[in-house]
Amino acid sequence: MAGLAGDGKCATATTAMGALRVYRAYARRWVFLLVVSLLSCSNATLWLSFAPVADIIAQRFLLSTEQVNWLSLVYLVVSIPCGVLAIWVLDSAGLRWATILCAWLNFAGSVLRALPCMVVEIRDPFAFLMGGQSLCALAQTLVIFSPAKLAALWFPEHQRAMANMIGTMANPLGILLANVLSPALVKKEDDIPVVLGIYIIPAGLACLLATACLRESVPPTPPSAGAAHSTSEKFLDGLKLLVRNKAYVVLALCFGGGVGIFTSFSALLQQILCANGYSNEFAGLCGALFIVFGILGALVLGLYVDRTKHFTEAIKIGFCLTSVVCVAFALVSQLRGQTVALAAICSLLGLFGFSVAPVAMELAVECSFPVGEGAAAGLVFILGQAEGVLVMVLLTALTVPRAEPSFSTCQGGQDPLDWKVSVLLMAGLCTVFSCCLVLFFHTPYRRLQAEASRSPSIQECECPATVDHAPCPQTLPEGPPRPPHSPGTDAAESPGAAHS
């Protein structure tokens, strides 16, 4: 009798274990994240490679300052009409094909913009520069939305925010490289061809890795309950749900405004500082500190929200602190000889402002679930680019020639500009967006709630067989196989491993 009772308990336990869902985190998710991060970094480097040395670029190619600004501004302009198409490609064609297409566009653009330095007979270099930047801008719309979707489809719940942080922060890392390399390598006009050639290398490497190493858009076995039970709406239906979601609209407008301000800040920093006597090297240093501290802040904040899930509190506090520092920059940047103060302000601006970017992307997915991750993150970015165009055009339009004696170090022979009104407007806009976010943004975490309401699960780490899609040794009753795009089906795998 005792034996029968024991067998009955064992059978009950086995049945209960068999009812648990088993998820797997594949080792090759890190390869996918590496490719997306390298591609995003290369794309951002190409975007702002001209801005830190705008005066020398204008001299070399006989361009006006406005034309050089448009080489950065085209990223924002192209992303607005093409962003919606990129969302559809990402959600319909899948991560793999979207990433490969992005890699080839990015590489082609990097080569095209270098042609005026390779071919002497080219009479209109601006057309080639703008054409190359436009191709890179098309690539940006595909890669900038990817980290949130990649984190949701390939990473377990306890690694999602970190994966999103790594993929998202690769973009400002590219901006950092542009701010450091361009002023360091471009001292005169003859240095420009070498720099343009150097920027082709990471674009080509990302293209090679994307084409050769990416095998599928989704893993054979999902890494989490959210990925396994993905109920993403159809493309147009998802956009309608986003527009009707009050919390998402507030987040998209406020964070999009922040993206626009930071985009304008990155593109115009050299012009703002050189007008008050600061060198290109110092402007590059400030841009580098801006990014470095942003990445460090994002790393710490990503670890924090991964464990606490305090997305809303983190982004609201970050926005408020960013507004205070932005006001400080508007005041101090108009003074001469304040190198230490400006360096500290740019560091704090990155620490508080850039660090909330991956948190905002995760929060966009949380408050809009079950809308697809590509649409949720993509629409925020599109609004950010649209607002960035308006902010940059407005800031440059409000500049006037200096009336008082100038200590400008700007090259190019043009009259120095007064940026006082422009930077004060930038600080005011940042404050308005922060206040709106704090007062009007309130949301439940819908994806986390949906995952918590489902049955318990077993998550396992990589086993040697995962590389070749072969299953690990089975110890639980095996359920029906889960097709790659089929939501709500189970894949029974080995529960023997711990969290990855």
Side-chain angles (χ1 to χ4, degrees), residues 419-441:
W419 289 86
K420 185 181 301 181
V421 176
S422 298
V423 293
L424 288 174
L425 175 63
M426 182 177 68
L429 290 174
C430 187
T431 304
V432 169
F433 289 132
S434 299
C435 292
C436 291
L437 184 73
V438 171
L439 295 175
F440 302 115
F441 180 75

Side-chain angles (χ1 to χ4, degrees), residues 327-340:
V327 171
F329 175 81
L331 299 176
V332 178
S333 64
Q334 299 307 300
L335 304 177
R336 296 185 62 248
Q338 302 297 319
T339 54
V340 175

Side-chain angles (χ1 to χ4, degrees), residues 112-452:
L112 180 60
R113 70 189 209 137
L115 287 180
C117 298
M118 300 176 182
V119 182
V120 181
E121 293 76 11
I122 292 180
R123 296 182 178 180
D124 188 9
F126 182 70
F128 285 83
L129 295 174
M130 181 61 74
Q133 290 293 93
S134 299
L135 289 179
C136 294
L138 287 174
Q140 186 197 40
T141 61
L142 291 168
V143 73
I144 205 72
F145 310 154
S146 298
K149 193 172 186 69
L150 176 62
L153 294 180
W154 281 87
F155 286 81
E157 178 186 340
H158 66 284
Q159 293 179 346
R160 278 199 305 241
M162 179 57 62
N164 199 353
M165 183 277 297
I166 294 173
T168 303
M169 286 296 103
N171 185 270
L173 179 61
I175 298 175
L176 164 64
L177 293 176
N179 278 290
V180 172
L181 289 179
S182 290
L185 298 178
V186 179
K187 303 296 184 182
K188 55 185 183 300
E189 296 180 24
D190 294 338
D191 298 331
I192 293 176
V194 177
V195 172
L196 294 182
I198 290 175
Y199 288 145
I200 294 176
I201 297 174
L205 179 60
C207 185
L208 176 63
L209 291 176
T211 306
C213 299
L214 302 186
R215 304 181 190 175
E216 64 269 305
S217 294
V218 296
T221 303
S224 66
H229 298 85
S230 176
T231 55
S232 297
E233 300 291 334
K234 293 181 180 179
F235 178 68
L236 292 179
D237 293 336
L239 292 182
K240 292 177 182 177
L241 287 176
L242 292 178
V243 173
R244 296 171 185 169
N245 187 328
K246 178 183 176 182
Y248 180 84
V249 170
V250 172
L251 177 65
L253 289 175
C254 295
F255 178 68
V259 171
I261 290 172
F262 274 58
T263 299
S264 302
F265 175 85
S266 300
L268 300 175
L269 179 61
Q270 181 266 339
Q271 298 175 51
I272 294 173
L273 294 183
C274 78
N276 289 285
Y278 298 99
S279 65
N280 285 355
E281 289 75 12
F282 177 71
L285 173 64
C286 288
L289 291 172
F290 176 63
I291 304 304
V292 168
F293 278 85
I295 294 173
L296 293 177
L299 176 62
V300 174
L301 198 59
L303 291 172
Y304 173 75
V305 299
D306 249 341
R307 299 188 178 187
T308 65
K309 309 302 180 186
H310 292 164
F311 298 102
T312 303
E313 294 83 352
I315 193 173
K316 287 185 176 182
I317 293 174
F319 258 66
C320 291
L321 293 174
T322 301
S323 298
V324 174
V325 180
C326 196
V327 171
F329 175 81
L331 299 176
V332 178
S333 64
Q334 299 307 300
L335 304 177
R336 296 185 62 248
Q338 302 297 319
T339 54
V340 175
L342 277 173
I345 288 172
C346 289
S347 301
L348 292 176
L349 197 58
L351 180 66
F352 299 138
F354 250 127
S355 61
V356 302
V359 178
M361 290 300 183
E362 279 290 295
L363 192 54
V365 175
E366 289 291 345
C367 74
S368 62
F369 187 83
V371 176
E373 298 83 7
L379 191 57
V380 170
F381 176 76
I382 293 172
L383 284 174
Q385 298 297 74
E387 293 175 75
V389 172
L390 295 177
V391 171
M392 188 179 293
V393 170
L394 188 59
L395 294 184
T396 54
L398 290 175
T399 58
V400 294
R402 278 187 178 273
E404 65 271 15
S406 173
F407 300 93
S408 172
T409 58
C410 301
Q411 302 180 30
Q414 300 184 14
D415 294 333
L417 299 176
D418 188 347
W419 289 86
K420 185 181 301 181
V421 176
S422 298
V423 293
L424 288 174
L425 175 63
M426 182 177 68
L429 290 174
C430 187
T431 304
V432 169
F433 289 132
S434 299
C435 292
C436 291
L437 184 73
V438 171
L439 295 175
F440 302 115
F441 180 75
H442 308 282
T443 182
Y445 301 150
R446 299 182 179 183
R447 182 173 61 178
L448 289 176
Q449 290 177 351
E451 291 176 341

